[in-house]
Amino acid sequence: MASSTPYTVRWGIMATGWIAEVFTKDLLANPAIRGVHDVRHEVVAAASSSSKERAGDFLTKVKAPSSAKAYGSYHELVADPDVDIVYVATPHSHHFQNAMLALEAGKNVLCEKALTVTASQARKLVEAARTKGVFFMEAVWTRYFPLSIQVRDLISSGAIGNVYRTIADLSIGKDKADGKIDFADSHRMVNPELAGGALLDLGIYALTWVFQTLYHVQPEEQKEAPNVMAAINKYHTGADETTSIILQFPQHKSHGIALTSLRVSSDVDGKNSAGASIRIQGSTGEIQVMGPAYCPLQYRVIKKNGGGEVQVVDCPIPKDPESGWGQGMFWEADECARCLRDGRKESKSLPWSESITIMEVMEETLRQGGVVYSDVISTDVYDAQSPLNTGKR
Ligand SMILES: NC(=O)C1=CN([C@@H]2O[C@H](COP(=O)(O)OP(=O)(O)OC[C@H]3O[C@@H](n4cnc5c(N)ncnc54)[C@H](OP(=O)(O)O)[C@@H]3O)[C@@H](O)[C@H]2O)C=CC1
Ligand SMILES: O=C1OC[C@@H](O)[C@H](O)[C@H]1O
């Protein structure tokens, strides 16, 4: 019989930037608002590599309980026995070293996307999680949206027949009249020292849709990694600004087309006038997903013999009626909690092997496009004293 007491997970937040704030506020949102009663979340600590004061300010800003501890280093956070799971919210450049720091300390880890800079780093993290016997997951929040789960279920049930092609685009038009992109060269979106570029930051979502619809749904014994054909335009910083990938799954006779750009937009007027950013095309129908690929709120099902009828399904993100808050990141947190409760080390919605295969695709794409990141962020040798772990930048 199910227990009426929700299973509680105690979170430690590593880094205090934008997404750390959004995610932590979602953790603190009342689960009942999204109809969740079996798990709950506590924020027990946050760490900043800049200063303890910054960590304290962060905890105040997100309205964490006053008992939550502020640390001025990532090392202190991972040593805290009260922390069940560490959320790594640093730039992608740092993920390998930071996630390994936490895994080596025996902590469960939820690590922001893109998981790492190279596939080898991803394999090393998975190896460490396996050796330590802890939970580890890449924080691709979109995977845990009810919308994503419904779309995967529709595909598995054959609602649109055999799926032969998925076209997915996540592009944000940041083109400026002077030829530059509207991010400072030092910003993590275009700074190669922070593993900047469209692919690792945004292309991962286009790939998520290709993988959710063409790979994840493949039966285990028929799992087939794709062939990759890619084109990249580089920005003057060396990071990729426009990247297009064709993924071919020969045995399944399917193609994925993953597009990303910092120059043009997948939703040019911000009102979906340009149509679906994701099209999942099957032999008997098509599913179209509307809205940004990371946070879609509606899908449409169009049947070949449906007489022109379009089934429109809205999947809004529940908001706390008092604060108006709710971003949809709580669903991935709930998944972590249920895995911890049930003793699962990886999520079925995004298994380790799939994160690694996606990293392999991204690595191959960057190789074909000639994007090279520095050794300090590409190495797969763990160093607890790396500047990426100590914050001595
Ligand atoms: N799932 C999603 O929707 C989103 C995910 N992301 C992912 O989250 C990660 C962080 O992105 P975001 O929060 O926007 O980034 P920010 O720049 O806002 O924050 C990053 C934080 O990392 C820490 N950090 C440590 N070393 C450095 C360094 N050398 N340069 C900059 N920051 C450093 C800092 O915290 P401190 O000083 O406290 O240590 C900083 O505040 C990325 O991997 C990104 O892909 C981002 C946005 C949305
Ligand atoms: O993960 C992300 O999703 C939202 C985007 O605005 C952001 O750049 C990216 O990191």
Side-chain angles (χ1 to χ4, degrees), residues 121-371:
Q121 291 179 334
R123 283 190 285 269
K124 288 269 173 91
L125 291 176
V126 163
E127 222 173 275
R130 194 174 277 123
T131 306
K132 291 282 180 183
V134 294
F135 171 80
F136 177 56
M137 189 176 106
E138 180 182 5
V140 185
W141 57 313
T142 320
R143 286 250 176 180
Y144 307 94
F145 273 40
L147 180 148
S148 287
I149 295 166
Q150 286 174 34
V151 168
R152 295 199 297 263
D153 286 349
L154 279 171
I155 292 170
S156 298
S157 70
I160 56 166
N162 289 329
V163 179
Y164 286 115
R165 191 168 63 184
T166 293
I167 306 164
D169 181 15
L170 179 58
S171 299
I172 53 168
K174 293 285 182 183
D175 187 62
K176 291 206 306 178
D178 64 3
K180 297 244 179 75
I181 289 172
D182 203 5
F183 288 111
D185 289 356
S186 57
H187 192 280
R188 70 167 188 84
M189 289 297 287
V190 290
N191 179 353
E193 282 313 312
L194 298 176
L199 179 65
L200 292 181
D201 194 71
L202 303 172
I204 175 74
Y205 291 106
L207 285 169
T208 289
W209 280 100
V210 167
F211 269 79
Q212 288 204 102
T213 57
L214 297 178
Y215 179 89
H216 189 80
V217 289
Q218 293 169 3
E220 216 42 57
E221 62 288 357
Q222 291 171 20
K223 283 269 191 264
E224 178 188 27
N227 297 323
V228 174
M229 287 141 275
I232 281 182
N233 286 354
K234 281 201 262 183
Y235 192 42
H236 73 89
T237 59
D240 64 305
E241 60 172 49
T242 295
T243 296
S244 305
I245 317 169
I246 298 177
L247 299 100
Q248 179 196 29
F249 300 88
Q251 286 166 37
H252 291 83
K253 300 189 185 343
S254 59
H255 283 185
I257 298 165
L259 307 169
T260 186
S261 178
L262 303 176
R263 292 282 185 196
V264 294
S265 180
S266 31
D267 182 10
V268 69
D269 64 359
K271 298 178 191 312
N272 279 329
S273 310
S277 49
I278 295 135
R279 295 180 65 187
I280 304 153
Q281 299 175 306
S283 51
T284 62
E286 171 164 330
I287 300 171
Q288 299 187 338
V289 181
M290 314 301 290
Y294 52 79
C295 182
L297 301 176
Q298 185 192 81
Y299 69 88
R300 301 173 180 186
V301 185
I302 307 163
K303 294 277 176 70
K304 192 172 181 176
N305 299 318
E309 192 193 321
V310 179
Q311 185 197 354
V312 178
V313 183
D314 288 307
C315 302
I317 296 173
K319 309 268 182 209
D320 187 312
E322 272 174 40
S323 62
W325 185 262
Q327 297 296 314
M329 306 198 97
F330 33 59
W331 286 309
E332 70 179 343
D334 294 342
E335 170 69 3
C336 295
R338 291 182 181 124
C339 286
L340 293 183
R341 179 194 63 192
D342 300 343
R344 281 185 278 128
K345 306 304 175 199
E346 60 185 313
S347 165
K348 286 185 188 139
S349 292
L350 182 48
W352 292 340
S353 58
E354 194 162 335
S355 279
I356 290 172
T357 305
I358 294 173
M359 274 315 308
E360 285 169 349
V361 168
M362 294 208 282
E363 183 175 88
E364 175 59 14
T365 299
L366 294 169
R367 191 195 66 75
Q368 290 184 23
V371 174

Side-chain angles (χ1 to χ4, degrees), residues 16 18-19 48-50 54 74 92 94 113 188 393:
T16 57
W18 175 46
I19 205 59
S48 169
S49 60
S50 316
R54 188 174 154 98
Y74 298 162
H92 341 307
H94 291 46
K113 41 61 59 179
R188 70 167 188 84
R393 359 197 205 273

